[in-house]
């Protein structure tokens, strides 16, 4: 069974106010061409089809266009909803769309009900695990407690139970939208931390032949059988070094697996440059970035005059300006954002408590209260998106 694994399309997203709809349309065309060229048997899309719960009309139209192209290609497609999608909206019409070979899996209750396809070696069961917001699905899945690990384990228990009842030799694939331990995050992913924990161990997916993951935007191999495809386009400068690809995966007899990366089209490269303004404008080594989307970090001790306009004279596609004056770390004017970079909401809140109490951070009880408050805000946001 030859599978094409992709995820995190984020239809409707922009890049520093630059619309990406045409680049996303080009990717959809590229995907369909790859399906035909490589004689793909099934396409897997592991969540975050849209960038937000209520996408703009143009994004919905592009998704409709993608569905028609995939259906015309005559190759089955299995899709799940991600944490950016409204599962209910995305799932509307799933039954009818399924008749065209596009199988949308957005309901957690269906985790243990696969799409079954066959090849020369027998059946392959494809299980769709949409993004599982712990507080919303714990009771539905019968998980003993909240948290990503508990609800994903409960969902996988349903998968393994269904698989055990199928004929011996049935191969299996799981699509999931989650943060699996060992994966590297980027700035463009929405935080899904619950209870101070965001990730689940890769062993969660033991018992299946392949786990096609979505959520993280970098293409990554967690284990041979647990992989992220990453997003097809870069959505932040933290992805400047990413090679944007899809996984072409062959699942052979007995679960034998091979995988290779297929490159996605790049609308414009990204570049991060850093230094004093005059140096950036004169350095010949930066010539290669003159047609890229540029993020310029200026280290001048004081803000130069009209820095963006001057940068645009050499780098016409500069879209982001960061000011980080060269200062000692103990300087009170050192960048606040720089000090917060890479820290979770819980860590930032705990740091604030320590700051106002002269270095004394929260105790265990206070830490529990902080975690509960942060989780409540996340849950309220998730409920609000589903209600819109």
């Amino acid at each position: 069974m030859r599978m094409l694994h992709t995820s995190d399309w984020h239809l409707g997203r922009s890049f520093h106010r630059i619309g990406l709809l045409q680049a996303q349309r080009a990717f959809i065309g590229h995907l369909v061409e790859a399906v035909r060229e490589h004689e793909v048997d099934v396409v897997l899309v592991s969540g975050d089809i849209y960038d937000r719960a209520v996408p703009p009309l143009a994004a919905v139209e592009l998704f409709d266009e993608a569905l028609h192209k995939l259906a015309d290609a005559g190759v089955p497609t299995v899709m799940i909803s991600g944490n950016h999608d409204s599962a209910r909206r995305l799932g509307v019409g799933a039954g009818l769309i399924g008749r065209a070979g596009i199988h949308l899996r957005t309901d957690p209750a269906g985790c243990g009900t696969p799409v079954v396809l066959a090849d020369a070696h027998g059946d392959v069961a494809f299980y769709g695990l949409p993004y599982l917001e712990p507080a919303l699905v714990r009771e539905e899945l019968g998980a003993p407690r909240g948290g990503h690990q508990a609800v994903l384990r409960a969902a996988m228990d349903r998968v393994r139970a269904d698989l055990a009842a199928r004929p011996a030799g049935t191969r299996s694939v799981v699509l999931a939208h989650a943060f699996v331990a060992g994966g590297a995050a980027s700035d463009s992913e929405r935080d899904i931390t619950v209870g101070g924990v965001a990730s689940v161990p890769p062993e969660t997916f033991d018992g299946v032949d392949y786990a096609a993951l979505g959520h993280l935007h970098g293409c990554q191999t967690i284990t041979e059988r647990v992989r992220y495809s990453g997003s097809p386009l870069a959505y932040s400068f933290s992805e400047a070094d990413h090679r944007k690809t899809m996984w072409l995966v062959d699942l052979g007899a007995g679960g034998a697996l091979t995988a290779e990366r297929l490159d996605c089209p790049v609308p414009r490269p990204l570049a991060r440059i850093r230094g004093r303004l005059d140096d950036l404008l004169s350095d010949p080594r930066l010539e290669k970035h003159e047609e890229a989307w540029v993020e310029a970090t200026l280290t001048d001790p004081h803000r130069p005059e009209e820095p963006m306009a001057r940068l645009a004279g050499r780098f016409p596609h500069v879209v982001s300006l960061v000011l980080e004056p060269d200062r000692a770390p103990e300087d009170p004017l050192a960048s606040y954002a720089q000090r917060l970079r890479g820290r979770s909401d819980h860590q930032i809140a705990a740091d604030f408590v320590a700051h106002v109490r002269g270095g004394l951070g929260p105790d265990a009880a206070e830490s529990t209260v902080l975690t509960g408050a942060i989780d409540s805000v996340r849950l309220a946001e998730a409920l609000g998106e589903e209600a819109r």
Side-chain angles (χ1 to χ4, degrees), residues 152-182:
L152 268 172
R153 182 184 293 119
M156 284 300 301
D157 285 345
R158 293 191 177 191
V159 168
R160 284 184 280 262
D162 180 85
L163 190 58
R166 295 188 175 274
T170 300
R171 290 157 295 159
S172 56
V173 175
V174 164
L175 290 77
H177 197 87
F179 189 169
V180 176

Side-chain angles (χ1 to χ4, degrees), residues 264-315:
C264 296
V266 179
R268 190 178 297 279
L270 306 187
R272 286 178 135 169
I273 60 176
R274 180 185 181 90
R276 298 197 175 194
L277 179 57
D278 288 343
D279 294 336
L280 297 181
L281 295 177
S282 60
D283 189 342
R285 294 172 298 178
L286 300 181
E287 183 178 349
K288 61 185 178 181
H289 300 314
E290 290 178 357
E291 294 304 316
W293 279 322
V294 169
E295 178 186 74
T297 299
L298 301 186
T299 60
D300 301 72
H302 304 285
R303 181 188 179 98
E305 184 177 353
E306 298 185 343
M308 202 65 167
R310 293 169 64 188
L311 282 165
R314 182 179 187 187
F315 306 101

Side-chain angles (χ1 to χ4, degrees), residues 255-266:
L257 185 143
T258 60
E260 66 173 298
R261 296 172 69 178
L262 302 182
D263 289 297
C264 296
V266 179

Side-chain angles (χ1 to χ4, degrees), residues 7-339:
S7 72
D8 295 272
W9 294 358
H10 289 278
L11 300 181
R13 189 163 187 155
S14 59
F15 182 81
H16 291 269
R17 300 184 182 179
I18 298 170
L20 293 176
L21 207 64
Q22 291 307 312
Q24 291 173 332
R25 178 170 283 109
F27 162 70
I28 298 297
H30 170 76
L31 182 149
V32 174
E33 288 177 9
V35 165
R36 293 194 170 105
E37 178 184 350
H38 295 280
E39 300 181 339
V40 169
D41 297 309
V42 58
V43 176
L44 312 179
V45 188
S46 300
D48 281 354
I49 310 299
Y50 292 122
D51 188 54
R52 55 182 188 264
V54 185
L57 178 58
V60 177
E61 290 173 339
L62 179 55
F63 180 56
D64 181 65
E65 183 180 322
L67 293 180
H68 278 83
K69 287 183 175 181
L70 288 167
D72 289 344
V75 174
T77 299
V78 184
M79 295 181 167
I80 61 172
S81 50
N83 62 301
H84 279 249
D85 299 309
S86 166
R88 291 180 181 177
R89 280 187 173 83
L90 188 62
V92 170
L96 286 173
I97 295 171
R99 296 181 185 180
I102 311 293
H103 305 281
L104 284 167
R105 292 294 185 263
T106 64
D107 185 355
C111 287
T113 305
V115 175
V116 180
L117 304 174
D119 65 6
H121 304 296
D123 287 347
V124 181
F126 293 85
Y127 298 89
L129 277 58
Y131 171 67
L132 303 174
E133 177 64 41
L136 298 181
V137 304
R138 182 176 64 83
E139 292 186 5
E140 172 72 42
L141 295 177
R145 59 186 182 281
H148 291 294
Q149 185 170 344
V151 296
L152 268 172
R153 182 184 293 119
M156 284 300 301
D157 285 345
R158 293 191 177 191
V159 168
R160 284 184 280 262
D162 180 85
L163 190 58
R166 295 188 175 274
T170 300
R171 290 157 295 159
S172 56
V173 175
V174 164
L175 290 77
H177 197 87
F179 189 169
V180 176
S186 59
D187 294 344
S188 54
E189 298 133 6
R190 184 182 295 172
D191 182 27
I192 60 171
T193 301
V194 172
V197 178
S199 64
V200 300
E203 292 78 19
T204 302
F205 302 100
D206 283 355
V208 298
D209 293 301
Y210 184 67
L213 301 181
H215 179 58
L216 300 183
H217 288 182
C219 181
Q220 300 171 62
T221 300
I222 305 301
T223 72
E224 181 187 4
R225 297 183 182 274
V226 179
R227 300 172 187 256
Y228 283 99
S229 67
S231 60
L233 298 171
Y235 293 119
S236 73
F237 277 102
S238 65
E239 301 170 53
D241 295 330
H242 287 189
R243 175 188 164 198
K244 295 299 184 182
T245 59
M246 303 176 286
W247 282 113
L248 185 66
V249 180
D250 283 312
L251 185 60
L257 185 143
T258 60
E260 66 173 298
R261 296 172 69 178
L262 302 182
D263 289 297
C264 296
V266 179
R268 190 178 297 279
L270 306 187
R272 286 178 135 169
I273 60 176
R274 180 185 181 90
R276 298 197 175 194
L277 179 57
D278 288 343
D279 294 336
L280 297 181
L281 295 177
S282 60
D283 189 342
R285 294 172 298 178
L286 300 181
E287 183 178 349
K288 61 185 178 181
H289 300 314
E290 290 178 357
E291 294 304 316
W293 279 322
V294 169
E295 178 186 74
T297 299
L298 301 186
T299 60
D300 301 72
H302 304 285
R303 181 188 179 98
E305 184 177 353
E306 298 185 343
M308 202 65 167
R310 293 169 64 188
L311 282 165
R314 182 179 187 187
F315 306 101
H317 304 288
V318 60
V319 294
S320 177
L321 179 66
V322 180
L323 301 176
E324 290 188 2
D326 283 332
R327 294 191 175 106
E330 63 273 11
D331 190 320
L333 295 178
S335 169
Y336 178 68
Q338 186 175 5
R339 284 180 277 135

Side-chain angles (χ1 to χ4, degrees), residues 344-358:
S344 69
D345 291 340
H346 185 274
Q347 289 171 322
I348 292 170
D351 288 347
F352 175 77
V353 172
H355 172 72
V356 299
R357 293 205 306 210

